[in-house]
Amino acid sequence: MATLPQPTTPTLLQNIHWIARPHEFLERNAAELGTTFRVNIANPKGLIWTSDPALIQEILTQDENGRYTAPGEVNVTLAPLLGDRSMIMLSGSEHRRHRKLTMPAFHGERMRAYTEAILSATRKAFGRIPSGDIFMTRAVMQEITMDVILTAVFGLQADDRGNDRFARIKPIVTNMLDMLASPLSVSVLFFPILQQDWGTWSPWGRFLEQRKQLDTLLFAEIADRRANPDPSRNDVLNMLLDTRDEDGETLTDDELRDELMTMLFAGHETTATALAWATYWIHNDRQIYANLIDELGMIDIDADPMTVFRLPYLTAVCNETLRIYPVAMLTFPRTPIEPLEFGGYPIAPGDLLMASIYLLHHNPTIYPDSKTFNPDRFLDRQYSPFEFMPFGAGSRRCLGMALAQFEMKLVLAALLQGWTLELAEKTPVVPQRRGVTLGPKGGVLAKLTGVRSARVQQSAAAIVG
Ligand code: HEM
């Protein structure tokens, strides 16, 4: 049987290329090797990446077909950040247990409860920006998504009964993310040999120090909440403290801490990056902007968030944003349980297979003219879950998918109804690695040019105080 095609460049160069210019690395290999190939990255046996929808379906429906597993232990790269009890690091029944306990908090029906947190965070962040000043959209979106995740998931609020953890957690998480943002600094996760703790003047030492401070705050919050249960609170942590598996067991403090870290890191930067991209695409094309303004009309977002969530053109714009430069370029790996044939190639247990979301979304047979931002493609055609999958699929599909989609739409609607803005740079924005995500280089510089709605502006002024 044929062996899987692979690049001829030396392993070190492949790793450097992948870390420094990930989308180019993906594209070059796809052009030379086709839809399915092996690269010598991360793992001694390398990684197998595919952008063939049929093969993606084969590996991601492992729970149904019983031929593959989704091993958590191979995601150890993220353990220093998330802890080893995070669902991302767990496999099999333990993984299922954590998913089952956390899923209800992210179910579509719960989204309405997060409306106020999302809208007030958006109006507060944009209401603070002086008209005419140039700002970095990604930074503003990060502020918003951080506030949302802290209020919705952790139940922490700026004025939380004299509890200042909100204010203390924010800068630590931002620092930790910034520390891992550049291609050079994120190498520390990919190459464990670089994880040397030489005190706070060494990058890894500083990272560990920040993590310790964050742990202290999270454990203190968990202890407080266990000591003073308050059933009236409507947040994810409250649900998790109460939730029990079939044996009546709740999550331990360590498990809770790791899952809170996971939600904080998986749910904050990703959504902010998607929002920065969406703001860019919307303001880069007058027609797309006009279509959205038209569709939003006079909808009262606060009273009717579900109408906003269901708007077809806004949905198409969000989908196209997540298609063209998917924030997550790959799914987590899956591995076969027994030796088998995969697209005509032999594979064996221990081989790590990943769906290349980026290459799938640029597969020319599914998306003609894939480099053009065109929301209409989502109005003209229905894509299968294995053709369009910014949130992955199967047993590890993104836990926060409903929240991310709801949040994207509400933030964009509040921004478009409340303010006008223009891009500050005329040159096209290109993608660049930021940590483990693919974000807009430069963060999308923009400036506010006006206020659209007096009602929204008033409530922004009230929120900013
Ligand atoms: C636009 C925003 C987001 C994108 C593009 C995104 C994308 C993804 C992708 C591609 C995966 C891997 C799926 C797989 O391997 O099949 C994933 C997993 C995950 N995401 Fe998201 N995500 C986003 C927002 C969020 C939010 C808001 C949260 C939580 C609050 C979240 C929590 C998670 C968790 C916990 C996992 C791991 C699931 C597991 O291992 O079972 N994500 N996400």
Side-chain angles (χ1 to χ4, degrees):
M1 219 186 291
T3 52
L4 272 157
Q6 43 185 316
T8 48
T9 27
T11 299
L12 182 63
L13 285 185
Q14 288 185 39
N15 279 273
I16 291 173
H17 198 178
W18 166 238
I19 291 170
R21 293 183 177 274
H23 69 292
E24 285 176 20
F25 181 69
L26 285 161
E27 279 173 6
R28 186 200 282 184
N29 283 314
E32 283 172 13
L33 309 170
T35 51
T36 305
F37 51 86
R38 191 190 291 270
V39 286
N40 286 325
I41 287 183
N43 181 41
K45 287 178 79 179
L47 300 171
I48 298 168
W49 289 347
T50 183
S51 55
D52 176 331
L55 294 181
I56 290 178
Q57 179 163 10
E58 156 89 10
I59 56 173
L60 296 189
T61 47
Q62 75 273 1
D63 284 350
E64 294 99 80
N65 66 30
R67 287 194 289 275
Y68 299 85
T69 63
E73 58 282 2
V74 299
N75 301 323
V76 280
T77 321
L78 297 170
L81 193 61
L82 308 179
D84 50 17
R85 306 294 300 154
S86 154
M87 73 178 74
I88 290 178
M89 249 59 67
L90 300 176
S91 313
S93 57
E94 266 298 273
H95 175 249
R96 276 194 297 279
R97 171 174 175 262
H98 277 234
R99 291 276 303 196
K100 220 168 161 186
L101 291 174
T102 46
M103 276 307 270
F106 292 97
H107 203 271
E109 285 151 25
R110 287 212 22 108
M111 290 309 118
R112 195 182 285 275
Y114 307 135
T115 305
E116 201 196 320
I118 296 170
L119 292 179
S120 71
T122 308
R123 290 168 186 154
K124 187 170 85 182
F126 282 100
R128 256 203 305 258
I129 303 172
S131 192
D133 277 14
I134 291 183
F135 61 91
M136 188 197 282
T137 310
R138 195 198 57 233
V140 180
M141 295 303 186
Q142 271 179 310
E143 250 180 76
I144 297 170
T145 57
M146 172 76 86
D147 278 8
V148 170
I149 210 89
L150 287 174
T151 38
V153 177
F154 293 74
L156 293 175
Q157 283 161 18
D159 57 352
D160 215 6
R161 298 154 220 202
N163 169 347
D164 68 347
R165 273 179 214 126
F166 188 89
R168 289 164 65 201
I169 286 178
K170 268 165 81 163
I172 302 177
V173 175
T174 308
N175 274 344
M176 285 172 82
L177 282 170
D178 283 347
M179 274 183 204
L180 298 173
S182 79
L184 192 65
S185 55
V186 79
S187 308
V188 84
L189 288 182
F190 288 94
F191 301 108
I193 196 164
L194 300 177
Q195 295 172 4
Q196 304 293 340
D197 179 7
W198 291 318
T200 47
W201 58 269
S202 64
W204 190 244
R206 271 201 305 281
F207 176 81
L208 293 181
E209 175 56 31
Q210 301 270 315
R211 202 189 64 184
K212 210 166 97 193
Q213 289 178 24
L214 194 50
D215 278 357
T216 309
L217 291 165
L218 292 180
F219 282 125
E221 182 65 23
I222 294 169
D224 258 13
R225 299 284 287 273
R226 284 209 198 277
N228 307 297
D230 177 355
S232 71
R233 291 183 78 135
N234 188 19
D235 57 62
V236 176
L237 176 55
N238 234 27
M239 274 187 89
L240 293 185
L241 283 165
D242 253 4
T243 189
R244 285 172 194 278
D245 61 20
E246 290 111 35
D247 304 325
E249 299 290 329
T250 54
L251 291 172
T252 64
D253 283 5
D254 283 341
E255 287 174 323
L256 268 173
R257 176 263 176 213
D258 288 1
E259 291 307 5
L260 292 178
M261 286 288 276
T262 303
M263 291 173 210
L264 190 51
F265 283 95
H268 155 61
E269 174 98 351
T270 44
T271 316
T273 301
L275 278 163
W277 273 125
T279 308
Y280 169 69
W281 292 117
I282 291 168
H283 292 88
N284 191 44
D285 184 324
R286 295 305 295 169
Q287 188 57 54
I288 292 175
Y289 176 78
N291 292 349
L292 283 172
I293 293 293
D294 223 31
E295 188 181 59
L296 276 167
M298 292 306 287
I299 295 174
D300 185 343
I301 315 172
D302 303 68
D304 208 358
M306 294 324 278
T307 297
V308 175
F309 182 68
R310 286 190 280 265
L311 291 174
Y313 196 72
L314 181 59
T315 303
V317 167
C318 290
N319 284 348
E320 182 66 348
T321 298
L322 292 169
R323 179 198 68 81
I324 194 163
Y325 293 130
V327 176
M329 291 170 277
L330 301 162
T331 61
F332 290 115
R334 273 61 168 182
T335 192
I337 291 167
E338 291 176 349
L340 44 88
E341 193 191 307
F342 181 72
Y345 302 105
I347 54 167
D351 276 330
L352 298 180
L353 301 126
M354 300 162 99
S356 167
I357 302 175
Y358 179 90
L359 290 177
L360 173 71
H361 288 183
H362 288 278
N363 184 326
T365 58
I366 311 169
Y367 301 103
D369 199 12
S370 75
K371 288 289 165 60
T372 302
F373 186 86
N374 174 17
D376 289 357
R377 64 174 98 235
F378 283 93
L379 300 174
D380 299 341
R381 204 192 129 168
Q382 190 90 21
Y383 295 96
S384 87
F386 305 102
E387 291 176 330
F388 174 64
M389 41 172 296
F391 297 98
S395 67
R396 279 197 191 272
R397 192 184 75 178
C398 177
L399 181 80
M401 182 172 95
L403 175 62
Q405 289 175 325
F406 187 68
E407 190 175 352
M408 275 182 82
K409 291 177 187 175
L410 253 54
V411 170
L412 292 172
L415 168 62
L416 291 168
Q417 270 197 349
W419 291 270
T420 53
L421 68 77
E422 66 184 37
L423 300 176
E425 290 170 309
K426 298 291 167 235
T427 46
V429 172
V430 293
Q432 185 183 46
R433 178 188 283 283
R434 191 175 147 85
V436 293
T437 63
L438 191 64
K441 190 174 179 187
V444 184
L445 298 179
K447 65 178 173 205
L448 292 183
T449 51
V451 175
R452 284 178 51 83
S453 146
R455 185 180 61 78
V456 170
Q457 187 61 11
Q458 266 167 15
S459 58
I463 291 162
V464 176

